[in-house]
Amino acid sequence: AGKGIRVEPRLFVQFLATIIYTGIQRVLEVEGMGSLDIRDLMIMASTYRVVETDAGIIRGRRDRRLLKVFRAFGIDDSGDIPRTP
């Protein structure tokens, strides 16, 4: 570490990232999706959109794989989404 730079916060962030990564991988393996790479999972999930309009809530397309990921992580996408005031 350079002068005046604290290493501990960076190590803590790396520690948290490792725990999150491991938790995600564990859920994928338990749900039979162990072959799905976490980077691919994040890319797939990031394509999902929810748009709030004056006419209501519009949800993006969800394929079978994305629905399976939602179920694996306990994400309920079937109900109403609270509207922002």
Side-chain angles (χ1 to χ4, degrees):
K3 186 176 180 179
I5 297 175
R6 294 185 57 204
V7 176
E8 297 85 11
R10 236 181 308 158
L11 290 175
F12 182 67
V13 170
Q14 283 182 319
F15 171 73
L16 289 177
T18 301
I19 288 176
I20 293 167
Y21 181 92
T22 303
I24 291 171
Q25 192 62 51
R26 188 175 306 124
V27 169
L28 292 175
E29 289 172 5
V30 166
E31 295 295 323
M33 295 182 284
S35 63
L36 183 61
D37 181 68
I38 292 179
R39 171 176 270 141
D40 295 336
L41 169 78
M42 295 299 184
I43 291 169
M44 181 176 48
S46 71
T47 64
Y48 180 65
R49 301 281 185 251
V50 176
V51 178
E52 182 178 339
T53 68
D54 291 337
I57 305 291
I58 301 171
R59 291 182 170 94
R61 293 183 59 203
R62 299 172 303 273
D63 63 9
R64 256 185 274 161
R65 285 179 59 184
L66 187 56
L67 287 173
K68 189 173 181 179
V69 168
F70 281 0
R71 282 192 301 271
F73 287 93
I75 300 170
D76 180 16
D77 187 47
S78 61
D80 289 333
I81 298 171
R83 296 190 73 154
T84 56

